[in-house]
Amino acid sequence: MGKDGAAIPSGDSAPEMDRDDIGSPTMRTAETLLRILPMALCVVALVIMLKDSQTNEYGSLSYSDLGAFRYLVHASGVCAGYSLLSAVVAAVPRPSTMSRAWAFFLLDQLLTYIILAAGAISTEVVYLAYKGDASITWSQTCGSFGGFCRKATASIAITFIVTLCYAGLSLISSYRLFSKYDAPVAYTNKGIEVATFQA
């Protein structure tokens, strides 16, 4: 503190604030890898589904014949593209602004629900293909197209692993966003400001 009572910042306080904004190299590397992982998984799920077709004496069946599988292919492509782009952005050491934190938060949430929906509706289709449903005259297709169903099941399983990855990314982006806000405060009857919780 100076002679006039003013506080004098220490010489290493500014770099410390920069490190807090940017994040530690270890955390940044971990987040980048966590964003690259779903990209690779989405590409694998996408390729498996694109090659999922079978022809035998009962006819032919391809992923393109089912809307749910076409949606899974499109969702996997979008997810892979976003994962690559977000990994590049996350790998660059720069101060975390509020707009950047909001962008990661919203896009991570959006991709989580998109890929979750793709896995869910595709699971329903595969279940009907294995079990059938007499009420809607849906036969047990997997009895005749076993190879097709096995590939579809593998692609869907990978899709749900991607969903778990994005759930983790959503938690990270949520923490980074909302940790930028101050804790809410409450007022007592005497008008004294009291923090509702402590960090």
Side-chain angles (χ1 to χ4, degrees), residues 115-133:
I115 203 69
L116 175 61
I121 61 175
S122 297
T123 299
E124 182 180 6
V125 171
V126 168
Y127 176 82
L128 290 173
Y130 272 108
K131 300 296 183 179
D133 191 339

Side-chain angles (χ1 to χ4, degrees), residues 9-47:
S10 60
D12 58 351
S13 61
E16 183 177 354
M17 291 177 62
D18 292 340
R19 287 194 298 268
D20 290 341
D21 287 340
I22 296 173
S24 65
T26 303
M27 178 62 70
R28 187 167 62 249
T29 301
E31 182 182 0
T32 302
L33 293 176
L34 188 57
R35 292 184 179 279
I36 292 176
L37 177 60
M39 178 195 69
L41 293 174
C42 282
V43 171
V44 173
L46 176 66
V47 171

